[in-house]
Amino acid sequence: MTTTARPRVGIVGLGTIGSMTAWQAAARGFDVTVFESFWPGHNEGAAAGGTRMFRRVYAEGATYGPLVDEAWRMWRELEYATGEDILFRTGGLSIGPANHPVLSGGLADAQDRGLPYEILDAEALAARYPQHRLLPGELALFDPEAGVLRSNVAVAAATAEARRLGATLRLNETVLAVEDTATGARIVSENGSETFDHVVIAGGPWAQNLLPDLPLETRAIFHTWHLVNNRQLLRPERFPITLRRSGPDLSYGLMSALDGSRIKLAPHFDYARGIDDVAELDRHVRHEWQRVSIELVEKLLPGVEPGPVEAGIFPESFSPDGHAAVGPVDPSARIVVLAGFSGHGFKLAPAFGRAAVDVLETGSSALLPSEVDLHRDYRAQVSIRDLVLNSEPA
Ligand SMILES: Cc1cc2nc3c(=O)[nH]c(=O)nc-3n(C[C@H](O)[C@H](O)[C@H](O)COP(=O)(O)OP(=O)(O)OC[C@H]3O[C@@H](n4cnc5c(N)ncnc54)[C@H](O)[C@@H]3O)c2cc1C
């Protein structure tokens, strides 16, 4: 009897995207080896901080619909496979002036994709979610299928599943270079080198070290955690995730911390800056940054304590137009890149993992919108940040 050798894939990074790709590649019969500088679920990278938003209605555009729907299904699949609670459904609010793209884009997407939604005016919002104060002319779009993802748990669950399906983990081992050679794709690590049929680079905020020609920039994202006066509001189902765009100094992301004691606020203001080396990231939270959170809470969030009980800074890789950079480096898909998730990669991570494996097998994936094409002109495309999100995470 002859046996066919399984194709070998080396994955750089066991963070958000690497863990999901490892799970999917192992499930589809690849012989998987993952290299990770730290360990599964570590707190140094873009998955840190405990929670992430999931939005089903996607104001960024209907081209993302297949990815969003696949991610929605796959989070449940991962929960079922591992017994972990990963996606907690809280519903979601997008708040802003009625003509802001976060509302008009969301409304168009919900209608195009036949998703459930509600539009709430100030009175309806005050009755249901009194933690928000609308400004004149503002509305809220409610997405009942949005929720909070437990990010570290999600990465650990995908890692466990990959391992159960036969993946090999090489932890505390940093990859120094990835080379395309005549015999395959070679990973050069601190401990030597090894050649694979394919290599997937999912290095997150460190990706630019291995991909210096891609126009990626690592930036810091800042969060504060706050107590809530009315403890009834802390029940996650009373506290929908929220994207608010009320003006340049009045924009934020907000969600329950899911621990029954506090909420998490990501204020949007102009603090993000290029970081050449994540190891050099200054994690000291400046007092003036905390003041931004305090002022936002005082103006817009009546049920919430203004002074933060905790604050944190986390790195993320950004592309110039805010869309991820995903695809094969060349048509043989020997080296595949998933990078530059620009503050919104977590919710879609399992679907990106599945798409990466499609690319390994066939060179492309029907799940991927053209906006994320690795080989696009990054400066020609409409910026997702200008359109909807600005630079903060969601
Ligand atoms: C504070 C913050 C809040 C966010 N909020 C949201 C949100 O609400 N919703 C949402 O959808 N998205 C959100 N995002 C974005 C989302 O979390 C990221 O897009 C996603 O986590 C990126 O995943 P990644 O795999 O690219 O990076 P990571 O998860 O950081 O993974 C990269 C991994 O690669 C490893 N690595 C790198 N280089 C090497 C190497 N050379 N050798 C070995 N290992 C290596 C790293 O150690 C790391 O484990 C947020 C991001 C941040 C920072």
Side-chain angles (χ1 to χ4, degrees):
M1 192 176 86
T2 55
T3 52
T4 313
R6 293 184 297 150
R8 300 186 69 226
V9 59
I11 300 177
V12 183
L14 187 61
T16 312
I17 302 293
S19 64
M20 301 295 156
T21 305
W23 163 38
Q24 286 303 297
R28 277 157 68 174
F30 282 81
D31 178 355
V32 178
T33 303
V34 195
F35 296 76
E36 167 56 52
S37 296
F38 299 99
W39 46 88
H42 69 83
N43 222 29
E44 303 288 325
T51 50
R52 292 289 182 268
M53 290 184 183
F54 178 89
R55 290 176 288 124
R56 186 85 193 275
V57 174
Y58 217 57
E60 290 85 335
T63 52
Y64 277 91
L67 262 185
V68 179
D69 291 342
E70 187 63 1
W72 164 255
R73 193 194 63 69
M74 289 179 72
W75 286 122
R76 295 299 179 216
E77 185 184 329
L78 186 58
E79 287 180 327
Y80 187 74
T82 61
E84 295 286 357
D85 291 327
I86 295 171
L87 175 55
F88 195 101
R89 192 160 151 179
T90 60
L93 293 166
S94 300
I95 299 178
N99 62 355
H100 191 285
V102 80
L103 282 161
S104 56
L107 187 60
D109 183 55
Q111 290 174 341
D112 281 359
R113 291 166 59 215
L115 297 171
Y117 70 92
E118 285 177 73
I119 299 289
L120 305 176
D121 62 14
E123 195 182 340
L125 192 71
R128 268 167 66 179
Y129 303 116
Q131 62 268 42
H132 295 286
R133 182 182 290 137
L134 287 194
L135 302 176
E138 289 191 326
L139 291 173
L141 171 75
F142 182 65
D143 166 5
E145 293 180 333
V148 178
L149 288 158
R150 296 163 72 211
S151 52
N152 307 62
V153 174
V155 170
T159 302
E161 205 43 13
R163 208 176 216 163
R164 189 183 70 76
L165 293 164
T168 302
L169 309 187
R170 289 175 54 167
L171 306 178
N172 296 304
E173 184 168 346
T174 295
V175 171
L176 305 175
V178 175
E179 296 164 354
D180 197 357
T181 73
T183 53
R186 181 159 57 214
I187 285 186
V188 181
S189 80
E190 296 168 316
N191 298 341
S193 68
E194 192 165 340
T195 300
F196 296 87
D197 298 305
H198 304 273
V199 168
V200 174
I201 301 179
W206 295 262
Q208 67 202 53
N209 298 344
L210 296 174
L211 303 163
D213 295 337
L214 268 188
L216 301 177
E217 180 185 73
T218 297
R219 299 189 197 158
I221 293 177
F222 164 62
H223 282 166
T224 48
W225 282 261
H226 300 256
L227 300 177
V228 173
N229 298 333
N230 176 352
R231 292 192 62 80
Q232 282 302 312
L233 287 182
L234 276 173
R235 299 207 328 259
E237 62 277 17
R238 300 268 320 266
F239 214 100
I241 64 156
T242 303
L243 267 191
R244 183 154 193 168
R245 301 292 177 268
S246 292
D249 302 321
L250 296 175
S251 294
Y252 57 78
L254 180 73
M255 70 185 110
S256 162
L258 291 187
D259 65 359
S261 73
R262 61 210 180 132
I263 55 94
K264 182 163 102 171
L265 177 68
H268 170 225
F269 65 104
D270 194 18
Y271 62 92
R273 60 204 187 289
I275 299 158
D276 291 333
D277 181 351
V278 182
E280 305 295 314
L281 173 62
D282 178 3
R283 300 211 182 230
H284 171 73
V285 177
R286 296 190 202 167
H287 190 64
E288 66 264 27
W289 296 3
Q290 302 206 44
R291 283 265 10 127
V292 176
S293 285
I294 291 169
E295 281 168 23
L296 267 179
V297 173
E298 284 172 346
K299 279 185 194 142
L300 299 177
L301 292 163
V304 177
E305 279 290 341
V309 288
E310 194 183 330
I313 295 172
F314 310 96
E316 165 73 325
S317 168
F318 284 81
S319 74
D321 59 15
H323 296 275
V326 178
V329 169
D330 65 70
S332 71
R334 201 168 249 188
I335 299 174
V336 174
V337 171
L338 294 102
F341 289 92
S342 305
H344 50 104
F346 206 95
K347 67 182 77 58
L348 303 174
F352 274 121
R354 165 156 291 187
V357 183
D358 293 345
V359 172
L360 294 178
E361 287 178 341
T362 67
S364 65
S365 172
L367 287 172
L368 294 173
S370 59
E371 287 91 334
V372 305
D373 184 353
L374 179 69
H375 300 285
R376 68 184 182 268
D377 176 351
Y378 289 81
R379 311 235 166 227
Q381 186 159 288
V382 177
S383 159
I384 204 171
R385 289 198 293 281
D386 293 347
L387 193 65
V388 180
L389 291 174
N390 301 312
S391 59
E392 81 273 45

